C-alpha cells in the first residue's frame, strides 16, 4: 500500500472511531495483564464474563496469590486452556511480588519475563496501560495487514515490524486497536464485509465480497 493510501486508510478508521479502546474489561494495570494473558485463543467477551467476579475481589498480585490456584480455576474454568492459564497467572503474580514490588513494569522486555506473557501480550499492556506506540499482532491484525496490503508479512513479528515502519505519527498509539476492531467486525476471516468497509477502495484484496 502506498504511503498516501496508508495515511488515508488510518484517517478513515480514526474518523469512525476517534478513541478506540481494548474490549477487555479491567480496573488497573495488573488486571489488564491478567485479562490479556487469559485472552489467548479466547474471546474478549468470554474473558470479561469470567473476570467480572474475579476482578471484583482480586486487584493485586498478592490478592491473586492469596486466592490460590484452585480458587482462580473456579473463576476462569469457562475459558479455554484455563488450567495452564491459571498456573501462569499465579506464577506471574508471584514474580511481580518477588521482583517488582507487586507493580507491573513499564518495559516490554521485563513484561515478557513473566510466565504466560509473550510479545503480543506485552505490546498490548505497553500500549493500553502506558501509551506506548506498540503493535500487538493477533490473528485479526495479521489477517488485515496481509489482506489489505497495509503490512504484509509471513509471521506476526514481520507484520509488527512492517506496521511499526509504515504507520504515520498521528495514528501510532491507536493503530492496533483500529486494526483489531476492523478485523473483528468488518474484515472477518471467512467472509470480509467489503460492501460496508470504509477503506475498501484502498485495500489490495481482489475478491471483494458484494452486498448480501
Amino acid at each position: 500500500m502506498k504511503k498516501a493510501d496508508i495515511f488515508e486508510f488510518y484517517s478513515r478508521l480514526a474518523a469512525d472511531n476517534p478513541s478506540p479502546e481494548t474490549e477487555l474489561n479491567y480496573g488497573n494495570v495488573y488486571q489488564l495483564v491478567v485479562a490479556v494473558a487469559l485472552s489467548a485463543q479466547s474471546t474478549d467477551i468470554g474473558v470479561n464474563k469470567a473476570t467480572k467476579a474475579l476482578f471484583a475481589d482480586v486487584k493485586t498480585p498478592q490478592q491473586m496469590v492469596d486466592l490460590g490456584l484452585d480458587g482462580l480455576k473456579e473463576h476462569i474454568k469457562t475459558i479455554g486452556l484455563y488450567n495452564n492459564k491459571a498456573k501462569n497467572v499465579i506464577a506471574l503474580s508471584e514474580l511481580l511480588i518477588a521482583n517488582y514490588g507487586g507493580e507491573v513494569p513499564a518495559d516490554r522486555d521485563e513484561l515478557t519475563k513473566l510466565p504466560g506473557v509473550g510479545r503480543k501480550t506485552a505490546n498490548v499492556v505497553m500500549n493500553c496501560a502506558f501509551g506506548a506506540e506498540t503493535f500487538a499482532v493477533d490473528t485479526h491484525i495479521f489477517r488485515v495487514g496481509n489482506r489489505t496490503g497495509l503490512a504484509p508479512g509471513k509471521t506476526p513479528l514481520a507484520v509488527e515490524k512492517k506496521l511499526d515502519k509504515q504507520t504515520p505519527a498521528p495514528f501510532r498509539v491507536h493503530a492496533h486497536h483500529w486494526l483489531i476492531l476492523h478485523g473483528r467486525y468488518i474484515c472477518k476471516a471467512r467472509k470480509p464485509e467489503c460492501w460496508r468497509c470504509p477503506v475498501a477502495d484502498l485495500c489490495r484484496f481482489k475478491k471483494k465480497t458484494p452486498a448480501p
Side-chain angles (χ1 to χ4, degrees):
M1 195 179 291
K2 296 177 182 177
K3 188 175 291 187
D5 287 347
I6 291 174
F7 194 93
E8 180 63 21
F9 182 97
Y10 280 119
S11 294
R12 293 182 193 176
L13 296 184
D16 277 356
N17 187 1
S19 301
E21 296 179 350
T22 178
E23 294 187 318
L24 288 170
N25 295 332
Y26 64 97
N28 59 34
V29 183
Y30 169 68
Q31 290 182 341
L32 173 63
V33 174
V34 173
V36 180
L38 293 176
S39 71
Q41 298 177 26
S42 302
T43 65
D44 288 0
I45 293 174
V47 172
N48 288 338
K49 286 181 179 178
T51 58
K52 185 175 182 180
L54 174 66
F55 287 168
D57 295 329
V58 177
K59 297 176 173 61
T60 67
Q62 187 61 58
Q63 289 174 338
M64 186 69 77
V65 172
D66 292 343
L67 176 66
L69 185 62
D70 290 339
L72 176 56
K73 285 183 181 180
E74 192 61 30
H75 277 286
I76 66 170
K77 61 186 179 182
T78 55
I79 299 176
L81 307 173
Y82 77 94
N83 279 310
N84 194 50
K85 289 177 179 178
K87 291 177 184 176
N88 283 334
V89 168
I90 294 297
L92 74 83
S93 300
E94 290 173 339
L95 201 61
L96 286 173
I97 294 167
N99 295 354
Y100 304 97
E103 298 294 324
V104 176
D107 182 283
R108 184 168 61 190
D109 292 338
E110 293 299 314
L111 286 168
T112 56
K113 294 177 182 177
L114 300 174
V117 177
R119 186 179 179 89
K120 185 191 77 174
T121 297
N123 278 336
V124 172
V125 174
M126 289 301 298
N127 180 269
C128 296
F130 304 115
E133 295 177 353
T134 53
F135 303 86
V137 179
D138 66 350
T139 55
H140 297 301
I141 291 187
F142 186 78
R143 179 176 67 255
V144 171
N146 278 287
R147 183 184 276 169
T148 64
L150 174 69
K154 292 183 178 180
T155 65
L157 183 58
V159 172
E160 179 188 333
K161 289 183 176 180
K162 189 67 69 71
L163 285 171
D164 195 17
K165 182 179 179 182
Q166 301 279 64
T167 303
F171 309 112
R172 293 179 63 81
V173 172
H174 293 315
H176 100 262
H177 288 307
W178 285 317
L179 297 176
I180 285 173
L181 295 172
H182 188 66
R184 185 173 289 165
Y185 297 112
I186 296 179
C187 196
K188 299 175 181 178
R190 292 187 179 180
K191 193 173 183 180
E193 298 180 1
C194 306
W195 50 275
R196 68 181 191 93
C197 174
V199 292
D201 58 311
L202 304 172
C203 173
R204 298 298 186 264
F205 184 57
K206 293 181 179 179
K207 299 179 181 179
K208 299 286 199 303
T209 52

